[in-house]
Amino acid sequence: MKLFTITRKENEDLERQVNKFNNLINQGLILKKITFVLFVLFTSVIAQAQRDLPLDPEIKYEIGNITVTGTSTYNENTVITFTGLRVGERIYLPGEKISSVIKNLWKLELFSDINLYVTDVRGDVVDLQLDIQEVPELNEIKFKGIKEKKGTTFVKDNGLNKGAKVTENLVTTTKNYIENTYKKKGYFNAKTLINVIPKEDTVSKNKVNMLVNIDKGSRVKVDEIIFDGSDKIKSKKLRRSMKNTKKKNPLRFYKRSKYIEADYKDDKKSIIDTYKENGYRDARIVSDTIIKNDDDGITLKLTIEEGKKYYIGDIDFIGNTVFSDAQLARQLVLKKGDTYNGVLLKERIQKEGDPDADDLANLYQNNGYLFSNINAVETGVENDTINFEVRISEGKLAYFNRVEVKGNDKTKDKVIYRELLTRPGQQYSKQAVVSTIRQLGQLGFFDPQQLTPEFKNFDQIGGTVDLEYNVVEQGASQIELQGGFGGGGFVGTLGLSFNNFSIQNIFKKEAYKPLPMGDGQRFSLRAQASQFFQTYSISLTDPWFGGKKPVQLSVSLSHTIQFQFNNLATSARDRVNRDSRNIITGGSIGLAKRLSWPDRNFTLSHAISYQNFNLKNFNTGLFTFGNGSSVNLGYTIGLSRNNTANNPIFPVSGSQWSISAKLTPPYSLFNNVDYEGLAVDREVAVENQDSDALAAIDQERFNFLEFYKIKFDGKWYTSLPGKFVLQSNVEFGWLGAYNNDRGIPPFERFFLGGDGLGGFALDGREIIRLRGYPNQSVTPLDRGAATTANNNDGATIYNKFSLELRYPVTFSQAATIYTLAFIEGGATYDNFRDYNPFQLNRSAGAGIRIFMPAFGLLGLDFGYGFDPIPGLIQPNGWETHFIIGQQF
């Protein structure tokens, strides 16, 4: 005999009857239908008993035997263990124990039907039989109506792997997930039908195949958006406030007119916000209607009740003791007589999602008042004027109690803790927390998307709070494989960069896992080569030299062999003259200190560099002394600021800029050389075409290089709607001479154009990227080009401007991917007489960037040059720039 239990299907039947019952009530038909509903409910229950049983509900029965039927996967003992029942146990029949057993079995989601029977009663001893039907397992799944690759994505997202339990919940959630996925893409009429078919196999019992038929239909477009009742604000402005839902416009390519329900809901809020920004506090959308058109398009019709326009009256501050009314009023900005702006008022109190907002909440939060609470309350409305009270509960001044970091396995605690701006016992500051997150993200050791501060143990009475930073380490070391065409041939680079190195443990065998890591230092080895040069470099950077202050020490050594290159030669063998070479050996040492004023984002740097140029038969353009040497001893001072947030690969806000000056000793002031006389002798040598005399004079002029170089590079990042980020970039460089008679040396010049490839030392040149043009091609023509095959001697002045619109594709530990579109322009000059910042070589194009921790940045750009390169008359046209390992 079957005990009083209800199967899942029967339970659902009951729920449907109850829902029907409620609907009948809502429709006013209760008097006619109540008898029928009660009949269904009671007969569903009564049907559970096959016949009257000699069971006394007052007696605790002893379980004599338990048998299990219906299962094929689980053995009998396992199922009995699931129930929690045991032979010899005494229970009431029916009773709470039995109900609990059935409920717990359902929670396992392993069975589709469960029934418990009493098979025998002997006095106070009963035998029980548990009959169960297992939930079938998935054998295979097939999709119709979509591509196989997309089906694989649905399998992964919904856990539809072979062996998965095919419950009704799984089928329902899968159906909803697929339909919602397409609806988010504008397929408003997407339909999914899932058929579960038993597998016809006598060996594999209780397995099913799943057939998923998907009809995504056509993408629904918004033909028109109509506003009814919008008299005070023009419909055009309201449509513009809808950031996601746009009507068809053939001239708009950046935002499609697809209909997505969730986006439309957000846009309706934006419409009301637009009214509130213009004083219409009571504006509301009375109704909105979706009208289906014949061409898979729809018309959205919104009826609006605008209400009247309001103005701000008196604003009183209540509860403030830390800041005066005048201070708070200045921070609030809004004042009596202004048009009511509900959106701005809310943002000036507390702007959600902006930790750097200049609002009242941050004013208190950044001054230690963690437990403060601020609300603006309307206290009265007089005609069209609204009076406000800004009610402030300041709370107790708060301090950090415990500050911990969790998640770092490789990076040593000291490397992280020295970057923290929040210390135990320190007064609470929201800005300090935000700046710490930014600081940790810029280290490059952790995944910036998963850097999260967690506040714990709030104690308003004691005025303390605990803070925990959760970090997820990512690969800090990189293998640099860089390749591209630049400077007349293929340039290849192999480099190893260990960005979280530990030089202190380099001699400790146990530290090699596989290398000594964790002290936050950067150690790099790099080799670069092409047909006409080879360069090798090694560098070490310690951002906390000495371990006590943020003073960065940088040391580098490099060695380069450069051969003369003739780009007019017809054969590859003749292009390189290995008897003509320039050997460059150099090194540098630098110190950079993070400043505390004006803020911690500023860095002051100093560096001393040395290069020795040893030339042998190296006559190229400006190098008239083909056999000789030059020494370049320089001092560089720079000031930079970086407050980008938060990901150094893909900053979304803030800026980074640097200005630097490289200076050599003014040798002409004390070396007793008559450079004015040398300048006259040089003119004579040029006039007489006396190359030997010219070489001797220029060797005297440039045996020790004398120059100054000023550079500026600034980047600004602006977040735009829809995850877009705009990067604005301005660059400027100027190479000058102390003594005009001595002149500007043929080293340290600027070469503009291409992908920026070629960060090699060579003659100290700096290569600046300008997409849409060949590498190093946008430079002034060499006026002495008739005497040499290489007419590219670089420039002494350059400027560059660019705008780059970026869109993130994915952020993950495996890869960061974003696409970009750019416009940029740049030019080079030999002197300020020719300088014109508005005469630029312009270009535009698009590209993609993929950053993988192990390999650095990979990029592909397609750029179109709108202007001719110097010496030509036709626009340059399309250029493809492929970079691997290029700096970003």
Side-chain angles (χ1 to χ4, degrees):
M1 44 198 170
K2 189 175 183 182
L3 287 179
F4 179 68
T5 58
I6 303 176
T7 65
R8 175 176 293 174
K9 182 177 184 303
E10 291 161 343
N11 185 55
E12 292 173 351
D13 290 339
L14 286 175
E15 289 180 355
R16 280 193 291 269
Q17 294 296 339
V18 172
N19 291 334
K20 184 176 180 181
F21 181 77
N22 290 331
N23 291 333
L24 293 175
I25 293 176
N26 295 332
Q27 297 172 12
L29 300 178
I30 183 61
L31 295 177
K32 295 181 178 180
K33 300 297 183 178
I34 190 169
T35 305
F36 171 77
V37 174
L38 291 175
F39 173 79
V40 173
L41 287 172
F42 282 107
T43 53
S44 297
V45 172
I46 296 170
Q48 305 311 308
Q50 295 178 348
R51 62 180 180 270
D52 294 334
L53 301 174
L55 293 175
D56 189 342
E58 302 296 328
I59 297 177
K60 264 192 172 184
Y61 290 92
E62 179 184 340
I63 300 176
N65 188 29
I66 305 175
T67 58
V68 179
T69 59
T71 180
S72 60
T73 304
Y74 305 98
N75 63 48
E76 187 172 0
N77 291 332
T78 300
V79 177
I80 293 173
T81 301
F82 288 158
T83 67
L85 297 173
R86 64 182 186 277
V87 174
E89 180 182 3
R90 288 190 172 273
I91 58 174
Y92 289 107
L93 295 175
E96 293 183 3
K97 179 69 174 181
I98 294 299
S99 299
S100 176
V101 167
I102 301 299
K103 188 180 297 184
N104 291 335
L105 288 175
W106 279 126
K107 286 181 180 179
L108 294 174
E109 294 189 351
L110 299 174
F111 312 112
S112 60
D113 197 7
I114 303 170
N115 291 290
L116 188 60
Y117 296 92
V118 174
T119 57
D120 191 18
V121 181
R122 302 180 302 279
D124 63 349
V125 178
V126 295
D127 293 338
L128 301 179
Q129 177 186 327
L130 181 63
D131 183 66
I132 58 176
Q133 298 298 319
E134 295 181 23
V135 172
E137 292 184 356
L138 181 61
N139 178 57
E140 66 175 5
I141 183 170
K142 291 184 178 180
F143 291 88
K144 285 189 176 182
I146 61 172
K147 294 181 179 180
E148 183 178 349
K149 184 177 181 180
K150 186 63 179 177
T152 303
T153 302
F154 287 141
V155 168
K156 181 179 178 182
D157 293 345
N158 292 276
L160 302 174
N161 302 309
K162 188 172 184 178
K165 296 293 185 180
V166 184
T167 63
E168 294 178 11
N169 181 60
L170 177 66
V171 173
T172 302
T173 55
T174 299
K175 176 181 182 296
N176 293 337
Y177 178 86
I178 294 173
E179 290 182 353
N180 289 332
T181 298
Y182 283 108
K183 286 179 180 178
K184 288 178 181 178
K185 296 179 180 180
Y187 297 94
F188 185 62
N189 299 318
K191 300 295 181 184
T192 302
L193 177 63
I194 300 178
N195 292 321
V196 178
I197 307 166
K199 183 176 183 294
E200 296 181 359
D201 190 339
T202 57
V203 178
S204 302
K205 296 181 180 179
N206 208 28
K207 290 184 179 292
V208 295
N209 297 327
M210 187 180 289
L211 179 62
V212 184
N213 288 280
I214 300 174
D215 180 11
K216 64 181 182 181
S218 300
R219 181 178 272 123
V220 174
K221 300 294 184 65
V222 180
D223 294 330
E224 186 60 73
I225 302 175
I226 300 172
F227 295 96
D228 186 12
S230 57
D231 301 322
K232 308 294 178 54
I233 298 180
K234 294 182 179 180
S235 297
K236 185 177 180 180
K237 185 174 183 179
L238 295 177
R239 279 192 288 266
R240 196 162 52 241
S241 71
M242 301 173 72
K243 303 301 182 184
N244 301 301
T245 309
K246 301 290 185 181
K247 72 173 187 176
K248 285 182 181 179
N249 185 344
L251 300 179
R252 186 182 63 250
F253 61 90
Y254 61 90
K255 178 71 74 171
R256 295 182 177 179
S257 59
K258 57 188 178 183
Y259 173 81
I260 298 174
E261 187 175 1
D263 290 343
Y264 178 51
K265 186 177 180 180
D266 291 338
D267 284 334
K268 287 191 289 184
K269 294 179 181 177
S270 298
I271 292 171
I272 299 303
D273 285 343
T274 299
Y275 272 100
K276 289 182 177 179
E277 290 171 351
N278 289 274
Y280 297 95
R281 181 195 66 169
D282 301 329
R284 64 191 185 98
I285 298 174
V286 178
S287 65
D288 65 290
T289 307
I290 300 176
I291 304 171
K292 291 188 177 182
N293 303 328
D294 296 334
D295 56 350
D296 292 321
I298 59 173
T299 296
L300 302 176
K301 183 178 181 181
L302 298 95
T303 302
I304 296 175
E305 186 179 283
E306 294 178 316
K308 65 180 181 180
K309 189 173 184 177
Y310 289 92
Y311 298 87
I312 293 178
D314 294 326
I315 301 177
D316 297 321
F317 296 94
I318 307 297
N320 55 304
T321 61
V322 179
F323 300 103
S324 66
D325 288 0
Q327 287 175 302
L328 296 177
R330 284 195 298 269
Q331 194 81 5
L332 188 62
V333 176
L334 295 168
K335 61 184 182 299
K336 186 175 182 178
D338 288 349
T339 298
Y340 170 83
N341 188 332
V343 175
L344 182 59
L345 177 62
K346 183 179 179 181
E347 290 180 350
R348 297 308 301 173
I349 298 295
Q350 182 173 11
K351 187 175 183 180
E352 298 291 340
D354 186 359
D356 297 317
D358 188 21
D359 53 34
L360 290 180
N362 277 348
L363 178 65
Y364 274 93
Q365 292 274 321
N366 292 332
N367 284 276
Y369 291 91
L370 168 65
F371 307 113
S372 60
N373 185 39
I374 305 173
N375 290 296
V377 179
E378 296 181 10
T379 56
V381 179
E382 301 174 5
N383 296 321
D384 60 353
T385 301
I386 305 174
N387 299 320
F388 291 93
E389 281 185 359
V390 179
R391 298 174 181 175
I392 302 170
S393 173
E394 294 176 330
K396 192 172 184 178
L397 200 61
Y399 296 86
F400 293 111
N401 182 32
R402 294 174 59 88
V403 179
E404 298 179 308
V405 178
K406 291 188 176 180
N408 56 308
D409 299 321
K410 295 180 181 179
T411 307
K412 295 180 180 178
D413 288 345
K414 66 176 184 179
V415 174
I416 303 175
Y417 280 94
R418 68 193 184 191
E419 300 291 344
L420 302 187
L421 303 179
T422 54
R423 309 274 179 174
Q426 180 178 315
Q427 183 176 295
Y428 169 81
S429 168
K430 181 180 178 180
Q431 184 59 51
V433 178
V434 173
S435 298
T436 296
I437 292 295
R438 183 176 293 141
Q439 200 78 20
L440 293 177
Q442 290 175 353
L443 289 176
F445 307 154
F446 313 111
D447 182 354
Q449 306 304 316
Q450 300 189 62
L451 274 172
T452 55
E454 185 177 350
F455 294 95
K456 296 182 174 181
N457 303 325
F458 293 91
D459 184 358
Q460 297 193 38
I461 298 176
T464 61
V465 64
D466 295 342
L467 178 57
E468 182 180 289
Y469 293 99
N470 295 290
V471 300
V472 177
E473 289 187 309
Q474 64 181 11
S477 300
Q478 296 176 4
I479 300 174
E480 183 181 5
L481 295 172
Q482 178 172 290
F485 288 89
F490 181 81
V491 180
T493 302
L494 174 62
L496 297 174
S497 297
F498 308 106
N499 297 336
N500 195 2
F501 195 68
S502 176
I503 194 70
Q504 293 91 330
N505 296 321
I506 196 169
F507 297 113
K508 294 182 180 180
K509 183 178 179 181
E510 64 276 10
Y512 283 78
K513 299 178 182 179
L515 290 169
M517 306 290 285
D519 277 327
Q521 297 153 348
R522 179 188 176 103
F523 179 63
S524 299
L525 297 168
R526 201 163 183 258
Q528 194 170 50
S530 73
Q531 274 186 299
F532 71 102
F533 82 92
Q534 301 170 14
T535 184
Y536 310 93
S537 64
I538 181 172
S539 65
L540 174 68
T541 302
D542 187 347
W544 282 69
F545 181 60
K548 295 183 179 180
K549 293 183 178 181
V551 176
Q552 177 176 289
L553 171 68
S554 301
V555 180
S556 66
L557 297 171
S558 65
H559 181 73
T560 299
I561 304 174
Q562 178 184 1
F563 302 105
Q564 189 167 346
F565 183 76
N566 183 352
N567 59 8
L568 298 180
T570 56
S571 66
R573 174 177 293 182
D574 295 336
R575 289 177 185 172
V576 180
N577 183 1
R578 296 190 177 273
D579 292 329
S580 174
R581 52 102 179 113
N582 179 14
I583 299 178
I584 310 164
T585 304
S588 68
I589 182 169
L591 288 175
K593 182 180 180 181
R594 189 187 303 160
L595 304 179
S596 57
W597 186 90
D599 59 47
R600 284 177 53 91
N601 298 312
F602 280 87
T603 300
L604 179 65
S605 60
H606 310 266
I608 296 176
S609 60
Y610 170 85
Q611 283 181 307
N612 180 273
F613 302 92
N614 189 346
L615 292 82
K616 178 183 178 182
N617 194 28
F618 197 81
N619 295 288
T620 61
L622 295 176
F623 289 96
T624 58
F625 55 105
N627 292 281
S629 64
S630 289
V631 171
N632 184 1
L633 178 64
Y635 163 70
T636 303
I637 181 171
L639 181 67
S640 63
R641 185 175 188 266
N642 186 347
N643 72 326
T644 56
N646 228 15
N647 186 341
I649 311 300
F650 190 85
V652 297
S653 63
S655 63
Q656 57 184 116
W657 56 262
S658 65
I659 184 170
S660 65
K662 185 174 183 179
L663 313 168
T664 65
Y667 299 107
S668 57
L669 291 179
F670 52 78
N671 63 2
N672 298 321
V673 176
D674 182 11
Y675 290 105
E676 185 177 0
L678 281 178
V680 174
D681 294 342
R682 192 178 193 281
E683 290 180 1
V684 173
V686 171
E687 184 177 347
N688 296 331
Q689 297 185 357
D690 187 345
S691 59
D692 292 338
L694 183 62
I697 292 171
D698 283 351
Q699 172 66 85
E700 180 69 18
R701 291 169 65 208
F702 302 128
N703 55 355
F704 284 90
L705 301 186
E706 182 181 279
F707 64 88
Y708 59 88
K709 180 187 280 188
I710 309 297
K711 294 191 300 178
F712 174 82
D713 185 1
K715 295 181 177 67
W716 293 264
Y717 300 91
T718 305
S719 293
L720 302 177
K723 298 183 180 179
F724 286 98
V725 174
L726 180 67
Q727 182 206 69
S728 309
N729 177 220
V730 176
E731 296 181 41
F732 174 81
W734 174 28
L735 178 66
Y738 300 134
N739 188 324
N740 289 329
D741 292 324
R742 190 175 191 184
I744 299 175
F747 305 92
E748 295 278 346
R749 299 195 169 216
F750 302 110
F751 290 76
L752 181 66
D755 50 28
L757 180 67
F760 38 83
L762 296 185
D763 47 20
R765 68 181 60 189
E766 294 195 39
I767 300 173
I768 297 96
R769 180 177 66 177
L770 183 66
R771 291 162 288 190
Y773 297 92
N775 283 9
Q776 307 179 43
S777 63
V778 186
T779 53
L781 288 177
D782 180 9
R783 293 173 177 81
T787 63
T788 177
N790 186 358
N791 65 351
N792 189 345
D793 295 321
T796 59
I797 301 170
Y798 91 94
N799 57 217
K800 175 189 166 186
F801 311 93
S802 68
L803 291 173
E804 191 170 281
L805 186 65
R806 300 176 172 183
Y807 183 81
V809 177
T810 182
F811 293 119
S812 67
Q813 285 188 290
T816 295
I817 304 174
Y818 65 88
T819 58
L820 59 90
F822 66 87
I823 56 173
E824 55 190 16
T828 58
Y829 315 89
D830 274 333
N831 52 67
F832 271 113
R833 291 191 302 272
D834 301 328
Y835 180 74
N836 185 341
F838 302 105
Q839 291 183 352
L840 304 172
N841 282 70
R842 301 159 300 167
S843 66
I848 188 171
R849 296 290 182 270
I850 302 173
F851 179 83
M852 294 186 292
F855 293 96
L857 197 72
L858 294 83
L860 179 65
D861 288 329
F862 300 96
Y864 185 88
F866 296 103
D867 299 288
I869 61 176
L872 301 178
I873 59 175
Q874 296 294 329
N876 187 67
W878 287 103
E879 293 280 345
T880 301
H881 307 288
F882 180 66
I883 54 175
I884 305 178
Q886 180 76 356
Q887 294 297 312
F888 46 85

